[in-house]
Amino acid sequence: MIKEGIALRKSASEMEKKELKKYLTIGLIIIGVCLVVKNFSLLASFIRIAFSAAYPLILGAMIAYVFNIFLSFCEKYYFPKHKTGMLAYTRRPVCLLLSIAFTAAVIALILYIVIPELITAVKLISAEIPPVFMKVKDIAVQYLKDYPEIQEKIMSIEVDWASVVEQAFAFVKVGAGGLISSIAGFVGSLTMSVVNFVIAVIFAVYLLIRKDRIREDIRRTKNAYLSEKVNLCITRIFHTANTTFKSFFIGQFTEAVVLGTLCMIGMSILKIPYAGMTGTVIGVTALIPIVGAYFGAAVGAFIICTDDPRKALIFLIFLVILQQFEGNVIYPKVVGSSIGLPGIWVLAGVTLGGGLFGVMGMLLGVPALATVYKLYHSELSERERKLGIETAAPESKPEKKKDEKKKPSKQAAKNNKK
């Protein structure tokens, strides 16, 4: 009896401790929420300062992740059988240099194609605007014969194009509507951007060189400080995100190259001007899902219109046809269902990402939403399985029953007759 009483007292005290911990946790959470709500502006300022300070490192991690896709590909084919020796020792540095050289070559090629033709287009626009303005003025005067007062006002309009050009340059120089307050401020912001980018690249190179060691340290930390259940959950989330982002980047890059090349070839066949520049712009903007190619189409159509408006119309018709071919044939084959996200959610990812983080958000919003979508449906399927809820499965051909008798062969039939 005494032992049972002691056991009951221990169990009661343990229950009281658990209840006390539970209420203390709830109380701390409530206090924390109240403090966050009360000092939200201060917390937002702190987060903004912390993000600004960590921005080069975050950018470096993003660069390292993208570079790692090509780096892993190179390491897969750089003397894979050699596990030791000089070739194995030089595998990481050589493949890293190859990935950096490849990226620099792609950027240099894009600039080499786009910049000269863009300069030509700007010169052409500046030369074509005055004659076009005069044509519009003459047409307006001709059609407004019944309104002599308006006609006189239109005829009295004179534009000093030299002054307009000077004012435009002065506008850009002074600040472009307040965006650049002074040349010193512009130089300062440019210098800071360059410094941040250099730090990001250095940090990315460090991460790529020591990625195996960093991965091992993360694994050891998870095993030491997290429970097995939490560890498995985190591993599953990161594995799904890594697979989705890698598939998206590879597929989107391949699809953009194919689309830009086809656009360039088609424009050359149709003898549309600025084929190289427009195809390159279409390919670069196609990295942004859904809306990217339309941005490139608007830029290309405007520049082509300065040379020949009819060719601009032909270009738009050709691009619409190419977009249909790309959307129904190329994209499913190249990207396919690798990200596992329906079209409506792709549009939602682009819209939300662009609204929150601009162009970078438009690029990263789709794979991020695809990761959440995959994790949610995986969890939903698991919960339905535990609850015994049957879900609609795709129709499949009826399988033959194992005990179904096979038709006897000709030789067996002859033996039976005998």
Side-chain angles (χ1 to χ4, degrees), residues 269-318:
I269 294 172
L270 295 172
K271 300 187 183 305
I272 299 174
Y274 305 110
M277 185 197 70
T278 306
T280 306
V281 171
I282 292 290
V284 172
T285 54
L287 291 171
I288 302 172
I290 298 180
V291 297
Y294 294 104
F295 292 155
V299 173
F302 175 74
I303 293 174
I304 295 168
C305 189
T306 60
D307 186 270
D308 190 345
R310 290 173 297 178
K311 292 289 180 70
L313 181 61
I314 294 171
F315 164 72
L316 289 175
I317 295 171
F318 161 72

Short mmCIF file of all heavy atoms in Angstrom, two decimals, residues 269-318:
data_model
loop_
_atom_site.label_atom_id
_atom_site.label_comp_id
_atom_site.label_asym_id
_atom_site.label_seq_id
_atom_site.Cartn_x
_atom_site.Cartn_y
_atom_site.Cartn_z
N ILE A 269 14.80 33.44 -91.52
CA ILE A 269 14.12 32.90 -92.71
C ILE A 269 13.11 33.91 -93.25
O ILE A 269 12.99 34.10 -94.47
CB ILE A 269 13.43 31.57 -92.37
CG1 ILE A 269 14.49 30.51 -92.04
CG2 ILE A 269 12.54 31.10 -93.50
CD1 ILE A 269 13.93 29.22 -91.50
N LEU A 270 12.38 34.57 -92.34
CA LEU A 270 11.37 35.56 -92.75
C LEU A 270 11.97 36.92 -93.09
O LEU A 270 11.23 37.85 -93.42
CB LEU A 270 10.33 35.72 -91.64
CG LEU A 270 9.48 34.48 -91.32
CD1 LEU A 270 8.64 34.71 -90.08
CD2 LEU A 270 8.60 34.12 -92.51
N LYS A 271 13.31 37.03 -92.96
CA LYS A 271 14.03 38.28 -93.25
C LYS A 271 13.53 39.44 -92.39
O LYS A 271 13.33 40.57 -92.87
CB LYS A 271 13.93 38.63 -94.74
CG LYS A 271 14.52 37.56 -95.64
CD LYS A 271 14.55 38.00 -97.08
CE LYS A 271 15.08 36.91 -97.99
NZ LYS A 271 16.40 36.40 -97.61
N ILE A 272 13.31 39.17 -91.12
CA ILE A 272 12.91 40.21 -90.16
C ILE A 272 14.18 40.78 -89.54
O ILE A 272 15.07 40.03 -89.14
CB ILE A 272 12.00 39.62 -89.07
CG1 ILE A 272 10.72 39.05 -89.70
CG2 ILE A 272 11.64 40.67 -88.03
CD1 ILE A 272 9.83 38.32 -88.71
N PRO A 273 14.31 42.10 -89.46
CA PRO A 273 15.55 42.69 -88.92
C PRO A 273 15.72 42.41 -87.43
O PRO A 273 14.78 42.06 -86.73
CB PRO A 273 15.37 44.19 -89.18
CG PRO A 273 13.89 44.39 -89.29
CD PRO A 273 13.35 43.13 -89.89
N TYR A 274 16.97 42.59 -86.97
CA TYR A 274 17.36 42.41 -85.56
C TYR A 274 17.05 40.99 -85.07
O TYR A 274 16.58 40.78 -83.96
CB TYR A 274 16.64 43.42 -84.67
CG TYR A 274 16.85 44.85 -85.08
CD1 TYR A 274 15.81 45.59 -85.63
CD2 TYR A 274 18.10 45.46 -84.95
CE1 TYR A 274 16.00 46.90 -86.03
CE2 TYR A 274 18.29 46.77 -85.35
CZ TYR A 274 17.24 47.49 -85.89
OH TYR A 274 17.44 48.77 -86.29
N ALA A 275 17.31 39.99 -85.93
CA ALA A 275 17.01 38.59 -85.57
C ALA A 275 17.86 38.13 -84.40
O ALA A 275 17.36 37.50 -83.46
CB ALA A 275 17.22 37.69 -86.79
N GLY A 276 19.17 38.44 -84.46
CA GLY A 276 20.06 37.98 -83.38
C GLY A 276 19.71 38.59 -82.05
O GLY A 276 19.59 37.88 -81.03
N MET A 277 19.51 39.90 -82.01
CA MET A 277 19.20 40.58 -80.75
C MET A 277 17.84 40.15 -80.20
O MET A 277 17.70 39.83 -79.02
CB MET A 277 19.22 42.09 -80.94
CG MET A 277 19.02 42.86 -79.64
SD MET A 277 18.56 44.57 -79.91
CE MET A 277 16.92 44.38 -80.54
N THR A 278 16.82 40.10 -81.08
CA THR A 278 15.48 39.76 -80.62
C THR A 278 15.42 38.31 -80.12
O THR A 278 14.81 38.02 -79.09
CB THR A 278 14.47 39.96 -81.75
OG1 THR A 278 14.59 41.30 -82.27
CG2 THR A 278 13.04 39.75 -81.25
N GLY A 279 16.07 37.39 -80.85
CA GLY A 279 16.10 36.00 -80.40
C GLY A 279 16.79 35.85 -79.06
O GLY A 279 16.34 35.08 -78.19
N THR A 280 17.88 36.61 -78.86
CA THR A 280 18.59 36.55 -77.58
C THR A 280 17.73 37.11 -76.45
O THR A 280 17.67 36.53 -75.36
CB THR A 280 19.90 37.35 -77.67
OG1 THR A 280 20.67 36.87 -78.77
CG2 THR A 280 20.72 37.20 -76.40
N VAL A 281 17.06 38.24 -76.71
CA VAL A 281 16.19 38.84 -75.69
C VAL A 281 15.03 37.91 -75.35
O VAL A 281 14.68 37.73 -74.17
CB VAL A 281 15.66 40.21 -76.18
CG1 VAL A 281 14.58 40.74 -75.24
CG2 VAL A 281 16.80 41.21 -76.27
N ILE A 282 14.44 37.27 -76.37
CA ILE A 282 13.34 36.33 -76.14
C ILE A 282 13.83 35.15 -75.29
O ILE A 282 13.16 34.71 -74.35
CB ILE A 282 12.78 35.81 -77.47
CG1 ILE A 282 12.06 36.93 -78.23
CG2 ILE A 282 11.83 34.64 -77.25
CD1 ILE A 282 10.78 37.40 -77.62
N GLY A 283 15.04 34.65 -75.60
CA GLY A 283 15.59 33.53 -74.83
C GLY A 283 15.87 33.89 -73.39
O GLY A 283 15.56 33.12 -72.48
N VAL A 284 16.44 35.09 -73.16
CA VAL A 284 16.76 35.51 -71.79
C VAL A 284 15.49 35.74 -70.98
O VAL A 284 15.36 35.28 -69.84
CB VAL A 284 17.64 36.78 -71.80
CG1 VAL A 284 17.81 37.33 -70.40
CG2 VAL A 284 19.00 36.47 -72.41
N THR A 285 14.52 36.43 -71.56
CA THR A 285 13.28 36.71 -70.82
C THR A 285 12.42 35.45 -70.64
O THR A 285 11.60 35.40 -69.73
CB THR A 285 12.45 37.78 -71.55
OG1 THR A 285 12.22 37.39 -72.91
CG2 THR A 285 13.17 39.12 -71.54
N ALA A 286 12.64 34.43 -71.49
CA ALA A 286 11.87 33.19 -71.35
C ALA A 286 12.26 32.41 -70.11
O ALA A 286 11.57 31.45 -69.75
CB ALA A 286 12.05 32.31 -72.58
N LEU A 287 13.35 32.81 -69.44
CA LEU A 287 13.70 32.17 -68.16
C LEU A 287 12.60 32.40 -67.12
O LEU A 287 12.45 31.62 -66.19
CB LEU A 287 15.03 32.71 -67.65
CG LEU A 287 16.28 32.31 -68.45
CD1 LEU A 287 17.48 33.09 -67.97
CD2 LEU A 287 16.52 30.82 -68.35
N ILE A 288 11.85 33.51 -67.28
CA ILE A 288 10.71 33.78 -66.40
C ILE A 288 9.50 33.06 -66.97
O ILE A 288 9.11 33.33 -68.12
CB ILE A 288 10.43 35.29 -66.29
CG1 ILE A 288 11.67 36.01 -65.77
CG2 ILE A 288 9.24 35.56 -65.39
CD1 ILE A 288 11.55 37.52 -65.80
N PRO A 289 8.87 32.14 -66.26
CA PRO A 289 7.75 31.37 -66.81
C PRO A 289 6.57 32.26 -67.20
O PRO A 289 6.32 33.30 -66.58
CB PRO A 289 7.37 30.42 -65.66
CG PRO A 289 8.54 30.41 -64.75
CD PRO A 289 9.20 31.74 -64.89
N ILE A 290 5.88 31.86 -68.25
CA ILE A 290 4.62 32.42 -68.73
C ILE A 290 4.79 33.83 -69.29
O ILE A 290 4.59 34.07 -70.47
CB ILE A 290 3.51 32.42 -67.64
CG1 ILE A 290 3.21 30.97 -67.23
CG2 ILE A 290 2.26 33.09 -68.14
CD1 ILE A 290 2.14 30.85 -66.18
N VAL A 291 5.15 34.81 -68.45
CA VAL A 291 5.13 36.21 -68.87
C VAL A 291 6.44 36.68 -69.47
O VAL A 291 6.48 37.74 -70.11
CB VAL A 291 4.77 37.11 -67.66
CG1 VAL A 291 3.39 36.80 -67.14
CG2 VAL A 291 5.79 36.97 -66.54
N GLY A 292 7.53 35.92 -69.29
CA GLY A 292 8.84 36.40 -69.73
C GLY A 292 8.92 36.63 -71.23
O GLY A 292 9.42 37.66 -71.68
N ALA A 293 8.44 35.65 -72.02
CA ALA A 293 8.53 35.76 -73.47
C ALA A 293 7.72 36.95 -74.00
O ALA A 293 8.08 37.54 -75.02
CB ALA A 293 8.06 34.47 -74.12
N TYR A 294 6.64 37.30 -73.32
CA TYR A 294 5.83 38.45 -73.77
C TYR A 294 6.58 39.77 -73.56
O TYR A 294 6.44 40.69 -74.36
CB TYR A 294 4.49 38.46 -73.02
CG TYR A 294 3.62 37.28 -73.38
CD1 TYR A 294 3.49 36.21 -72.50
CD2 TYR A 294 2.95 37.23 -74.59
CE1 TYR A 294 2.70 35.12 -72.82
CE2 TYR A 294 2.15 36.14 -74.92
CZ TYR A 294 2.03 35.09 -74.04
OH TYR A 294 1.26 34.00 -74.37
N PHE A 295 7.36 39.86 -72.47
CA PHE A 295 8.21 41.04 -72.30
C PHE A 295 9.20 41.16 -73.46
O PHE A 295 9.38 42.23 -74.04
CB PHE A 295 8.97 40.95 -70.98
CG PHE A 295 8.12 41.07 -69.75
CD1 PHE A 295 8.51 40.52 -68.54
CD2 PHE A 295 6.90 41.73 -69.81
CE1 PHE A 295 7.71 40.63 -67.42
CE2 PHE A 295 6.09 41.84 -68.69
CZ PHE A 295 6.49 41.29 -67.49
N GLY A 296 9.83 40.03 -73.79
CA GLY A 296 10.76 40.04 -74.91
C GLY A 296 10.07 40.37 -76.22
O GLY A 296 10.64 41.07 -77.08
N ALA A 297 8.84 39.88 -76.41
CA ALA A 297 8.08 40.17 -77.64
C ALA A 297 7.79 41.66 -77.76
O ALA A 297 7.89 42.25 -78.86
CB ALA A 297 6.78 39.38 -77.65
N ALA A 298 7.43 42.31 -76.64
CA ALA A 298 7.14 43.74 -76.67
C ALA A 298 8.38 44.55 -77.06
O ALA A 298 8.32 45.46 -77.89
CB ALA A 298 6.61 44.19 -75.31
N VAL A 299 9.54 44.19 -76.46
CA VAL A 299 10.79 44.89 -76.77
C VAL A 299 11.16 44.67 -78.24
O VAL A 299 11.50 45.62 -78.97
CB VAL A 299 11.92 44.40 -75.84
CG1 VAL A 299 13.26 45.01 -76.27
CG2 VAL A 299 11.62 44.77 -74.40
N GLY A 300 11.09 43.40 -78.70
CA GLY A 300 11.44 43.10 -80.08
C GLY A 300 10.54 43.77 -81.08
O GLY A 300 11.00 44.32 -82.09
N ALA A 301 9.21 43.75 -80.82
CA ALA A 301 8.27 44.38 -81.74
C ALA A 301 8.50 45.88 -81.84
O ALA A 301 8.43 46.47 -82.93
CB ALA A 301 6.84 44.09 -81.29
N PHE A 302 8.80 46.53 -80.71
CA PHE A 302 9.04 47.99 -80.72
C PHE A 302 10.28 48.32 -81.55
O PHE A 302 10.26 49.26 -82.36
CB PHE A 302 9.21 48.49 -79.29
CG PHE A 302 9.58 49.94 -79.21
CD1 PHE A 302 8.65 50.93 -79.47
CD2 PHE A 302 10.88 50.32 -78.88
CE1 PHE A 302 8.99 52.27 -79.40
CE2 PHE A 302 11.24 51.65 -78.81
CZ PHE A 302 10.29 52.64 -79.07
N ILE A 303 11.35 47.55 -81.38
CA ILE A 303 12.59 47.85 -82.11
C ILE A 303 12.42 47.55 -83.59
O ILE A 303 12.88 48.31 -84.45
CB ILE A 303 13.76 47.04 -81.50
CG1 ILE A 303 14.04 47.54 -80.09
CG2 ILE A 303 15.01 47.16 -82.35
CD1 ILE A 303 15.08 46.74 -79.34
N ILE A 304 11.75 46.44 -83.92
CA ILE A 304 11.52 46.11 -85.33
C ILE A 304 10.61 47.15 -85.99
O ILE A 304 10.78 47.48 -87.17
CB ILE A 304 10.91 44.70 -85.46
CG1 ILE A 304 11.91 43.66 -84.97
CG2 ILE A 304 10.52 44.38 -86.90
CD1 ILE A 304 11.33 42.28 -84.77
N CYS A 305 9.66 47.68 -85.23
CA CYS A 305 8.73 48.69 -85.76
C CYS A 305 9.46 49.94 -86.23
O CYS A 305 9.00 50.63 -87.15
CB CYS A 305 7.69 49.02 -84.69
SG CYS A 305 6.34 50.05 -85.28
N THR A 306 10.58 50.28 -85.61
CA THR A 306 11.34 51.46 -86.04
C THR A 306 11.93 51.27 -87.43
O THR A 306 12.17 52.25 -88.14
CB THR A 306 12.50 51.73 -85.06
OG1 THR A 306 13.36 50.59 -85.01
CG2 THR A 306 11.97 51.99 -83.66
N ASP A 307 12.14 50.01 -87.82
CA ASP A 307 12.68 49.74 -89.16
C ASP A 307 11.58 49.53 -90.19
O ASP A 307 11.61 50.10 -91.28
CB ASP A 307 13.58 48.50 -89.09
CG ASP A 307 14.30 48.23 -90.39
OD1 ASP A 307 13.73 47.50 -91.23
OD2 ASP A 307 15.42 48.74 -90.58
N ASP A 308 10.58 48.69 -89.82
CA ASP A 308 9.48 48.40 -90.74
C ASP A 308 8.28 47.91 -89.94
O ASP A 308 8.32 46.80 -89.39
CB ASP A 308 9.91 47.33 -91.76
CG ASP A 308 8.89 47.16 -92.87
OD1 ASP A 308 7.75 47.64 -92.73
OD2 ASP A 308 9.24 46.52 -93.89
N PRO A 309 7.21 48.71 -89.81
CA PRO A 309 6.04 48.30 -89.02
C PRO A 309 5.41 47.00 -89.51
O PRO A 309 4.89 46.22 -88.72
CB PRO A 309 5.08 49.48 -89.17
CG PRO A 309 5.96 50.65 -89.49
CD PRO A 309 7.08 50.09 -90.30
N ARG A 310 5.45 46.76 -90.83
CA ARG A 310 4.86 45.52 -91.36
C ARG A 310 5.63 44.29 -90.88
O ARG A 310 5.04 43.26 -90.56
CB ARG A 310 4.84 45.57 -92.89
CG ARG A 310 3.84 46.58 -93.46
CD ARG A 310 3.98 46.69 -94.95
NE ARG A 310 5.32 47.18 -95.33
CZ ARG A 310 5.72 47.34 -96.59
NH1 ARG A 310 4.91 47.03 -97.58
NH2 ARG A 310 6.93 47.78 -96.84
N LYS A 311 6.96 44.42 -90.83
CA LYS A 311 7.76 43.32 -90.32
C LYS A 311 7.50 43.08 -88.83
O LYS A 311 7.57 41.95 -88.35
CB LYS A 311 9.25 43.62 -90.54
CG LYS A 311 9.68 43.63 -92.00
CD LYS A 311 9.66 42.23 -92.57
CE LYS A 311 10.07 42.21 -94.05
NZ LYS A 311 11.49 42.51 -94.23
N ALA A 312 7.19 44.15 -88.10
CA ALA A 312 6.85 43.99 -86.68
C ALA A 312 5.58 43.18 -86.52
O ALA A 312 5.47 42.32 -85.63
CB ALA A 312 6.70 45.36 -86.02
N LEU A 313 4.58 43.43 -87.40
CA LEU A 313 3.34 42.66 -87.36
C LEU A 313 3.60 41.20 -87.71
O LEU A 313 3.06 40.28 -87.05
CB LEU A 313 2.32 43.26 -88.32
CG LEU A 313 0.94 42.59 -88.37
CD1 LEU A 313 0.27 42.66 -87.02
CD2 LEU A 313 0.07 43.24 -89.44
N ILE A 314 4.44 40.96 -88.73
CA ILE A 314 4.79 39.59 -89.10
C ILE A 314 5.51 38.90 -87.93
O ILE A 314 5.28 37.72 -87.65
CB ILE A 314 5.68 39.60 -90.37
CG1 ILE A 314 4.88 40.11 -91.56
CG2 ILE A 314 6.21 38.19 -90.65
CD1 ILE A 314 5.72 40.35 -92.80
N PHE A 315 6.38 39.64 -87.26
CA PHE A 315 7.10 39.09 -86.11
C PHE A 315 6.14 38.67 -85.00
O PHE A 315 6.30 37.58 -84.41
CB PHE A 315 8.09 40.13 -85.58
CG PHE A 315 8.61 39.85 -84.20
CD1 PHE A 315 9.52 38.82 -83.97
CD2 PHE A 315 8.18 40.59 -83.10
CE1 PHE A 315 9.98 38.55 -82.69
CE2 PHE A 315 8.64 40.33 -81.83
CZ PHE A 315 9.55 39.30 -81.63
N LEU A 316 5.15 39.50 -84.71
CA LEU A 316 4.21 39.16 -83.64
C LEU A 316 3.39 37.92 -84.00
O LEU A 316 3.16 37.05 -83.15
CB LEU A 316 3.28 40.35 -83.38
CG LEU A 316 3.91 41.56 -82.69
CD1 LEU A 316 2.93 42.71 -82.60
CD2 LEU A 316 4.42 41.20 -81.30
N ILE A 317 2.96 37.82 -85.28
CA ILE A 317 2.20 36.63 -85.71
C ILE A 317 3.08 35.39 -85.61
O ILE A 317 2.65 34.33 -85.11
CB ILE A 317 1.69 36.82 -87.16
CG1 ILE A 317 0.67 37.97 -87.21
CG2 ILE A 317 1.06 35.53 -87.68
CD1 ILE A 317 0.27 38.38 -88.60
N PHE A 318 4.32 35.52 -86.07
CA PHE A 318 5.26 34.39 -86.00
C PHE A 318 5.50 33.98 -84.55
O PHE A 318 5.54 32.78 -84.23
CB PHE A 318 6.58 34.78 -86.68
CG PHE A 318 7.74 33.91 -86.30
CD1 PHE A 318 7.83 32.59 -86.75
CD2 PHE A 318 8.75 34.38 -85.47
CE1 PHE A 318 8.90 31.78 -86.40
CE2 PHE A 318 9.81 33.59 -85.11
CZ PHE A 318 9.88 32.28 -85.58
#
